[in-house]
Amino acid sequence: MYTDIKTILSDAAEKNYAVIATSAINMETARGIITAAAEKNAPVIFLLGQNMMRVHAKAELMIPMIRRLAEYANVPVATCLDHGNDPERLMYAFRNGFSSIMYDGSLLPLEGNIRETRHWAETCHTFGMGIEGELGHVGNAAAGDDANEAAYTNASDAAMFARETGVDCLAVAVGTAHGEYPKGLIPHINFDRIRECKEATGGMPLALHGGSGAGDENIVRAVQAGINKINVVTDVFSACRASLLEDLSANPKIGYIDLMSRMEMAAKHFISHWIDLSGSEGKASGFREKNRIYLLSKKESVGDSE
Ligand code: 13P
């Protein structure tokens, strides 16, 4: 089921769980992620970043493949251009079948962020796509930005941002950061700030970026506080890399197909664990039920007119 983040995340917000949003740059990782989602009967979101697509994972190839896998999986699957702020890349996402975008105006002053995000929200909604915005700024883990409370999301600004932009989901800065944290560091997440943003925005779906290395207990508590989308990228790539390294070290003559299959399994195991943390296991059934009702009612109305 190929869908958009609005459809997926409004269900998550209503039922208080989160959906895993992660990345793949090749078939094996994509299939490992979708297999995990299918086995856990969970929705899942694929993120493709501007640079990731520029240097390697071209949307022309990735999006049709993800859509094809989504057809087989029978769980809701969305795609999302991650941290889009280059109009050329945003238009590229529109042309290439993304179902959603994340517009990142988090480094702009508040008014500029609202103005630009609203513009892209209107464009997305015209084309039936979902959109996420970011308020506050989720920085870089290696630079220690997770602890920069000045960049955390302010709840009353969040209320205004949600109201004035029309986004479907809001990324909040609450104590995590992108990439690898310094060795041994588990970030401190401000759970009260998550609850405040949730309340101020009237229950809007909230996204937590920088999931990698944030600690299992933190993730579970963040979901309980109101997070509905968990971005985790660095660690799924690390799991794939570790699998390759381990297999090649143990057996340098390992066959290429075997090597790739084992990497796919590593991605699958990693995502299965994160689905467990997110509370999204089993949640795809609700979507199938809604879809079935829609199909039945369409069929009935055809019958009525005959
Ligand atoms: P990590 O790579 O730190 O998991 O962050 C991913 C992310 O937030 C992508 O937007």
Side-chain angles (χ1 to χ4, degrees):
M1 268 178 269
Y2 189 60
T3 185
D4 67 307
I5 59 165
K6 180 178 182 175
T7 308
I8 288 182
L9 296 178
S10 52
D11 190 76
E14 194 185 305
K15 298 178 184 156
N16 302 317
Y17 67 94
V19 176
I20 297 304
T22 187
S23 287
I25 58 156
N26 51 30
M27 181 193 77
E28 292 78 10
T29 315
R31 202 165 55 181
I33 292 165
I34 291 207
T35 306
E39 284 184 6
K40 293 276 181 187
N41 194 21
V44 72
I45 298 167
F46 278 88
L47 307 170
L48 287 177
Q50 291 185 159
N51 285 337
M52 204 180 268
M53 291 191 291
R54 212 173 255 135
V55 301
H56 187 89
K58 305 292 175 202
E60 290 91 332
L61 300 173
M62 294 302 297
I63 298 292
M65 182 178 69
I66 292 168
R67 291 181 75 143
R68 194 85 176 105
L69 289 167
E71 281 169 29
Y72 287 115
N74 206 19
V75 293
V77 177
T79 50
C80 186
L81 166 70
D82 203 26
H83 294 285
N85 57 12
D86 174 351
E88 190 275 322
R89 287 286 96 183
L90 288 154
M91 294 315 294
Y92 174 78
F94 279 83
R95 282 197 308 277
N96 281 288
F98 274 81
S99 66
S100 324
I101 66 162
M102 184 249 175
Y103 174 76
D104 184 354
S106 63
L107 288 175
L108 297 173
L110 180 62
E111 293 74 29
N113 190 1
I114 289 177
R115 188 181 58 246
E116 291 301 313
T117 307
R118 186 197 300 130
H119 165 74
W120 288 106
E122 285 168 1
T123 312
C124 279
H125 291 153
T126 302
F127 290 102
M129 293 163 69
I131 180 164
E132 172 182 334
E134 177 168 330
L135 186 67
H137 180 67
V138 181
N140 192 326
D145 292 340
D146 47 292
N148 178 13
E149 295 189 18
Y152 288 9
T153 309
N154 172 290
S156 57
D157 287 349
M160 178 165 69
F161 187 87
R163 204 173 45 243
E164 296 200 6
T165 59
V167 289
D168 306 307
C169 171
L170 177 65
V172 287
V174 291
T176 55
H178 297 106
E180 270 181 44
Y181 296 97
K183 207 170 164 44
L185 185 127
I186 304 279
H188 291 284
I189 296 184
N190 188 331
F191 301 105
D192 284 338
R193 189 64 65 93
I194 298 174
R195 280 185 278 270
E196 285 159 21
C197 290
K198 192 80 177 178
E199 199 184 323
T201 58
M204 159 157 285
L206 299 180
L208 184 77
H209 284 235
S212 297
D216 288 7
E217 196 190 326
N218 271 340
I219 295 297
V220 171
R221 289 184 65 194
V223 176
Q224 285 165 355
I227 291 295
N228 305 111
K229 172 174 178 275
I230 300 167
N231 285 20
V232 53
V233 175
T234 302
D235 278 358
V236 73
F237 288 172
S238 299
C240 291
R241 190 177 183 282
S243 160
L244 295 176
L245 194 60
E246 192 183 313
D247 286 341
L248 281 168
S249 309
N251 176 11
K253 289 200 159 58
I254 185 171
Y256 184 62
I257 295 179
D258 204 12
L259 188 66
M260 290 296 115
S261 304
R262 290 173 63 85
M263 186 187 76
E264 181 170 331
M265 284 302 127
K268 190 190 96 166
H269 285 133
F270 178 85
I271 295 299
S272 293
H273 175 64
W274 278 72
I275 289 174
D276 290 343
L277 300 178
S278 71
S280 61
E281 179 170 7
K283 296 296 193 294
S285 303
F287 290 86
R288 279 200 291 276
E289 191 55 22
K290 276 185 206 158
N291 209 24
R292 194 179 76 83
I293 291 165
Y294 172 70
L295 291 173
L296 280 178
S297 61
K298 269 181 83 169
K299 203 168 155 220
E300 276 161 15
S301 64
V302 170
D304 287 349
S305 65
E306 279 171 354

